[in-house]
Amino acid sequence: MVGRSWPGVRPEFSRYLTVPSTAGCDHPGTAHQWHVLDNGPLLESQHRSPAGTILAVHGNPTWSYLWRSVIEAATVAENPWRVIAVDQLDMGFSDRTGTFRRLEDRVTDLGDLTDALDLTGPVVTLGHDWGGLISLGWATRHRDLLAGVVLTNTAVHPSGFSLPPALSLALHPAVHRWGTQTTPAFLKVTHALAHPKLERDVEAAFMEPYGTVAERAGVANFVADIPAQPGHPSWPALESISTDLRTLSVPSLMMWGPRDPIFSDRYLRDLMDRLPHADVHRFEGAGHLLPEDRDIATPLLEWLAGALPTSSQGPTAADDGDTSAGMSGTEFRSMLSELDARRDDQTDAVVDMLPAAGSTRLSRSVSWASLARRVDAIAHGLAKLGVRRGDRVNLLVPPSSELTALIYACLRLGAVIVVADAGLGTRGLGRAIRGAGPGYLIGIERALVGARALNWPGERISVGDLSPAKRRLLGVTTTIPDLESGGSSAMAEDDAAFETADPDADAAVLFTSGSTGPAKGVVYTHRQLAAMRDTLQATYGLKPGDALVAGFAPFALLGPALGAVSVTPDMDVTSPRTLTASALADAAAAIDATIVFASPAALVNVLASAAGMDAVQRAALERVDLLLSAGAPLGARLLQRVQQLAPRAKVHTPYGMTEALPVTDISLEGILAAGNGDGVCVGTPVAGAQVRIAPLDADGSVTDTLGETPDVLGEIVVGAPHVKDRYDRLWITEQASVVHPGWHHTGDVGHLDADGRLWVQGRLGHLITTPLGVRTPVAAELAAEAVAGIRRAAVVGVGPAGTQAVVVIVETDSKSRRAGLLDAATTQIVRSSVLERTGIQVSAVLTIPDMPTDIRHNSKIDRSALSAWAGKLLSGRKSGRP
């Protein structure tokens, strides 16, 4: 029997069939009519053989309509899949049975349906909400057919987790029947969880099978059957499925909307623990109704093609024949090797600069021997607490000797450090921590207050001592002083050393700046961290005994690994603009620094405050041998001024990203020699690194070949031993970045010149597609910034792709009070400068008081936000501030 259609559903997909029931709640001989969306008959009529079957199971209170995008995409795919999206009994357009169906019954029901369909393998289950649990029950009982498992926002409700508040409310006797059956409140609340809001016709389709009180009986019963306590009738079935799940070894994919008040990230972490081999992707900003919030069909089919390839499918990634870029033949040397070699050394290893007291700035030093003892003691204390190899430990501690000891203690233990700093902003920091899902959170008091208030995951540990009242208030279980003391006692009783960590085990999750979207977690192994250290040593000639000032947060972690004494200036490293020239010079003087690492934003403020330095401070900077400006390009004029502060230093600007730092390097002399060009010259590859270009098509899309041909515009692709292992819980993002095995697609665009130097011209997401072709923003921005009175510039495209107009947005030296059109005279000068240098015709020049930048670097401009804002302003719509 053929049914009807709904928005986004072909009429021929809807069908009914009668299925004999073997469920315990039914009398023998009972049969029920099921409604399903099934593309199998259509594929058969087209003489197209599916690669397998996706068995899609909805939750409460949705129905098979939830999977309409999956069934359509699977139908039109070059290698199609059959999709059977079921309406569970008492739900959707399937029979209202008049019986209370429990979890065990529903798993049996699904098996009855697949038996009636005479389903054969391979079968991949796809489940959402309570449909996830039911699909897993089917999966564990049909292993002969099962080829894979896909889950979206669901749970197996392990004991020890409290029921989500929304479900607790729905179960309350005073609310349950009224909220779930008498009225459509439960449905409306569920539909309101969509981001963005459901279209009216889509919401109407979701509501259609639940129009009457009788039709909503299954909704009410589904809620009542939630096994919240061990005594619940469905608890045994829950326990059985939860336990059997651990024995599944088939390919698995979890796609998750973290903005879900029902099934939060803690349920994802539990499922990852039960299926540790699963691929995972978290869609930031998406919520409970993930299939409505995001396109899950495309990544699902891509995953199926990779996880379950068929003979008819070709390779899933282009290959230029060179996949060795990320491999290294060098012997692994632990990040702790220098610390271990110097554990009896009484000279300084780490120096902390203390806040200035009047004109005097004090410092506090920790010797190599003391640091080694602390690292060992803290590692033993953490182990005694229960931290194990592979456990994630979030460190919310400013760069200092304290943070250094904690980092190396975790590396010693084999725990995975999670580094997400306040430079992400409170919201971004919270997203990062929840995404990484640490088991432990070590922080200063301010961080612990935030963790308690915002419910960040992880057992809380305080860096410093706290009163018993504060411990209770903040939910702190112990402190680092307590752990260190306990670890020292444990070492005295048993001095057994920790085993050296597996070089290819996870060591760290470092977060990107969030300048191009939500911050991404980047996973490094111990081998890759060590390769980063080795690359820096080989590229810049660093050696044990060097003295480095770390004014750029990432390098604050590497001092002990390099064998160098390190100091962080008195500044907020998450806000580079807080670094003053005096603070930098005092840090350099404290260790007689030979090396300075700093970000461009920090150096800009150093130059602005240089007049406040005294003779002693100037002398300290004049003794520096190497100065690195890392994080974003800094113009030659500013670097020349920096050179004047450190006249003896070789000034370098490495190019890289959180995923690979550094990739290329160029000196000030090299920048001057390169001169003006299309973009910013960032030099040649550092030791062990390779750079390729993936050319762009005429519409700006990236082709699948890699090359080194000079002057070809394309995406910058890099390979090196110190490139990241993967993106954390971002399977889709990771696949896009490793289209070519052994290489990382950076998302930056640029070209190589005839001398093998790399020029960065912008980001893929910031390309401007004009009627005359693809344009990149960086060279035009540099041309605009060359105009007197222009402090910073951003060049964006406004309008539909292929017909975009080029708009320049500037921040002036004399800050404008409001956003709008720049004055006519300066506008003409900017237009002429851009045209002369790049050949680009500028349609409009706008001014704003401040550029929207990332917090960490204060230099990466959000061109996407500016483009949207400029489009509104130029079309006469209310634009606000970007």
Side-chain angles (χ1 to χ4, degrees):
M1 177 179 175
V2 178
R4 50 159 295 182
S5 67
W6 298 268
V9 178
R10 302 191 199 191
E12 56 265 44
F13 290 163
S14 175
R15 61 183 291 216
Y16 292 84
L17 65 160
T18 300
V19 177
S21 174
T22 64
C25 62
D26 286 330
H27 296 296
T30 299
H32 299 296
Q33 187 178 69
W34 285 69
H35 175 255
V36 298
L37 298 180
D38 181 5
N39 65 348
L42 176 62
L43 293 176
E44 185 176 2
S45 71
Q46 296 173 340
H47 306 290
R48 303 175 70 211
S49 299
T53 300
I54 299 172
L55 180 61
V57 188
H58 67 86
N60 187 33
T62 57
W63 55 286
S64 56
Y65 186 64
L66 182 73
W67 307 116
R68 64 193 181 282
S69 66
V70 173
I71 193 169
E72 180 63 27
T75 303
V76 301
E78 181 179 353
N79 296 288
W81 279 74
R82 183 183 184 184
V83 178
I84 301 172
V86 308
D87 282 3
Q88 298 193 57
L89 292 177
D90 296 329
M91 304 292 288
F93 290 93
S94 289
D95 268 356
R96 284 1 185 209
T97 65
T99 58
F100 193 110
R101 313 193 81 78
R102 298 208 177 271
L103 175 59
E104 179 65 29
D105 299 320
R106 292 195 174 279
V107 175
T108 301
D109 289 341
L110 191 57
D112 289 341
L113 174 67
T114 57
D115 287 346
L117 289 166
D118 197 21
L119 195 62
T120 58
V123 177
V124 174
T125 59
L126 169 61
H128 172 259
D129 191 83
W130 292 107
L133 180 61
I134 293 163
S135 72
L136 291 171
W138 186 94
T140 59
R141 301 177 193 189
H142 295 80
R143 295 172 190 255
D144 56 325
L145 302 179
L146 187 68
V149 166
V150 181
L151 299 168
T152 68
N153 288 66
T154 185
V156 292
H157 250 299
S159 58
F161 280 10
S162 59
L163 205 62
L167 292 183
S168 296
L169 178 63
L171 275 168
H172 193 281
V175 175
H176 174 249
R177 181 172 172 79
W178 173 87
T180 59
Q181 186 173 4
T182 305
T183 72
F186 189 74
L187 285 103
K188 289 185 175 295
V189 168
T190 301
H191 298 160
L193 298 177
H195 308 288
K197 184 179 178 180
L198 295 178
E199 296 291 337
R200 287 186 178 182
D201 58 345
V202 170
E203 184 173 10
F206 273 118
M207 291 291 292
E208 186 174 336
Y210 304 111
T212 68
V213 172
E215 288 172 334
R216 292 192 289 269
V219 175
N221 291 344
F222 233 129
V223 173
D225 193 47
I226 296 172
Q229 300 294 334
H232 191 281
S234 285
W235 190 267
L238 175 77
E239 285 286 281
S240 174
I241 297 169
S242 301
T243 301
D244 291 347
L245 179 58
R246 294 186 181 277
T247 67
L248 290 181
S249 58
V250 295
S252 303
L253 173 66
M254 300 175 194
M255 294 185 284
W256 212 264
R259 193 176 170 185
D260 186 349
I262 312 299
F263 298 122
S264 60
D265 275 305
R266 68 180 184 180
Y267 297 100
L268 172 61
R269 293 193 292 272
D270 176 73
L271 285 165
M272 291 174 62
D273 179 65
R274 294 170 191 272
L275 290 172
H277 62 282
D279 295 313
V280 178
H281 188 88
R282 296 173 71 258
F283 293 83
E284 279 294 350
H288 179 69
L289 291 177
L290 179 65
E292 298 299 319
D293 292 358
R294 297 291 188 273
D295 171 18
I296 68 165
T298 300
L300 170 58
L301 293 174
E302 290 176 353
W303 178 82
L304 289 171
L308 304 169
T310 65
S311 58
S312 63
Q313 292 170 339
T316 57
D319 184 358
D320 73 339
D322 182 358
T323 61
S324 61
M327 305 302 292
S328 172
T330 58
E331 182 180 352
F332 172 72
R333 187 167 57 96
S334 163
M335 290 284 284
L336 291 143
S337 58
E338 283 293 336
L339 182 61
D340 289 339
R342 302 178 70 170
R343 59 174 50 252
D344 296 324
D345 189 339
Q346 297 299 325
T347 62
D348 290 346
V350 184
V351 174
D352 292 332
M353 298 304 297
L354 305 178
S359 60
T360 304
R361 197 182 303 271
L362 303 176
S363 63
R364 177 178 55 218
S365 63
V366 178
S367 70
W368 289 95
S370 177
L371 178 61
R373 285 194 300 271
R374 283 208 74 200
V375 165
D376 290 348
I378 293 171
H380 279 87
L382 288 169
K384 191 174 178 182
L385 180 67
V387 181
R388 298 292 178 260
R389 287 181 180 273
D391 286 350
R392 293 188 169 191
V393 181
N394 184 204
L395 302 177
L396 296 177
V397 182
S400 59
S401 59
E402 194 73 51
L403 177 61
T404 301
L406 290 169
I407 287 172
Y408 286 85
C410 289
L411 293 175
R412 174 82 75 200
L413 178 58
V416 181
I417 59 172
V418 177
V419 181
D421 60 65
L424 299 177
T426 302
R427 185 179 178 186
L429 179 60
R431 275 197 307 241
I433 295 171
R434 283 188 288 271
Y440 302 86
L441 186 153
I442 303 175
I444 58 175
E445 185 174 332
R446 185 175 63 179
L448 295 171
V449 170
R452 178 59 184 256
L454 300 173
N455 198 30
W456 292 340
E459 181 176 339
R460 295 181 201 122
I461 301 168
S462 174
V463 165
D465 286 320
L466 294 175
S467 67
K470 276 192 176 179
R471 286 195 188 198
R472 288 192 300 271
L473 178 66
L474 299 177
V476 169
T477 57
T478 188
T479 68
I480 292 300
D482 289 346
L483 290 178
E484 188 175 354
S485 175
S488 296
S489 299
M491 290 166 58
E493 297 169 5
D494 180 7
D495 61 355
F498 290 102
E499 293 182 11
T500 301
D502 177 359
D504 298 312
D506 292 353
V509 182
L510 311 178
F511 277 85
T512 63
S513 67
S515 60
T516 56
K520 298 181 287 289
V522 178
V523 179
Y524 277 88
T525 64
H526 291 267
R527 187 185 305 278
Q528 289 155 348
L529 283 183
M532 184 191 300
R533 172 205 59 204
D534 296 343
T535 295
L536 287 169
Q537 288 180 322
T539 301
Y540 300 110
L542 307 183
K543 58 190 182 300
D546 279 334
L548 69 90
V549 178
F552 183 53
F555 293 114
L557 317 179
L558 291 173
L562 292 166
V565 56
S566 59
V567 59
T568 299
D570 179 20
M571 64 177 294
D572 179 357
V573 294
T574 67
S575 179
R577 289 179 293 184
T578 60
L579 179 62
T580 64
S582 294
L584 179 66
D586 286 342
I591 60 171
D592 199 13
T594 56
I595 305 163
V596 170
F597 293 157
S599 72
L603 289 175
V604 167
N605 198 55
V606 166
L607 292 172
S609 58
M613 289 192 298
D614 60 27
V616 173
Q617 292 168 330
R618 290 184 180 277
L621 292 181
E622 288 169 359
R623 291 192 294 271
V624 172
D625 295 324
L626 175 67
L627 191 149
L628 298 181
S629 172
L634 193 62
R637 286 182 299 173
L638 287 176
L639 286 175
Q640 287 174 312
R641 292 176 59 196
V642 170
Q643 180 77 84
Q644 293 172 3
L645 293 181
R648 190 169 110 180
K650 296 178 180 178
V651 178
H652 285 252
T653 62
Y655 159 75
M657 59 285 303
T658 307
E659 297 87 340
L661 185 66
V663 172
T664 66
D665 175 76
I666 190 168
S667 66
L668 173 57
E669 291 80 3
I671 293 173
L672 294 173
N676 292 332
D678 195 351
V680 173
C681 185
V682 295
T684 54
V686 297
Q690 299 182 55
V691 175
R692 300 288 187 274
I693 300 296
L696 301 182
D697 277 337
D699 64 357
S701 58
V702 180
T703 62
D704 62 2
T705 59
L706 300 182
E708 301 175 86
T709 305
D711 301 320
V712 174
L713 175 65
E715 183 180 12
I716 298 168
V717 183
V718 303
H722 59 282
V723 169
K724 61 145 173 76
D725 186 69
R726 65 190 186 278
Y727 286 115
D728 188 43
R729 301 174 188 180
L730 292 169
W731 179 84
I732 299 169
T733 309
E734 174 62 15
Q735 295 309 297
S737 78
V738 292
V739 172
H740 297 85
W743 298 85
H744 169 67
H745 283 247
T746 66
D748 288 339
V749 292
H751 69 277
L752 294 166
D753 65 18
D755 295 318
R757 296 173 300 197
L758 178 65
W759 294 73
V760 177
Q761 296 173 245
R763 294 281 299 170
L764 273 175
H766 301 155
L767 291 175
I768 304 167
T769 55
T770 74
L772 299 178
V774 175
R775 299 291 184 264
T776 56
V778 171
E781 290 169 350
L782 293 173
E785 289 170 356
V787 174
I790 304 298
R791 182 169 180 266
R792 285 194 290 193
V795 174
V796 301
V798 173
T803 62
Q804 287 185 316
V806 176
V807 176
V808 178
I809 304 165
V810 301
E811 177 185 318
T812 58
D813 289 337
S814 55
K815 187 178 296 187
S816 57
R817 294 183 178 180
R818 64 179 63 184
L821 293 171
L822 188 64
D823 68 89
T826 311
T827 292
Q828 186 55 46
I829 298 172
V830 169
R831 281 177 166 155
S832 298
S833 180
V834 172
L835 180 62
E836 181 180 350
R837 176 163 174 177
T838 69
I840 294 175
Q841 292 279 358
V842 174
S843 297
V845 182
L846 309 178
T847 181
I848 55 175
D850 293 290
M851 287 287 184
T853 63
D854 66 303
I855 300 173
R856 180 185 292 173
H857 299 289
N858 186 41
S859 56
K860 295 185 177 181
I861 297 171
D862 190 343
R863 297 189 187 99
S864 298
L866 286 174
S867 175
W869 168 80
K872 292 178 182 177
L873 186 143
L874 292 172
S875 63
R877 290 175 290 161
K878 185 176 181 180
S879 58
R881 297 188 64 175

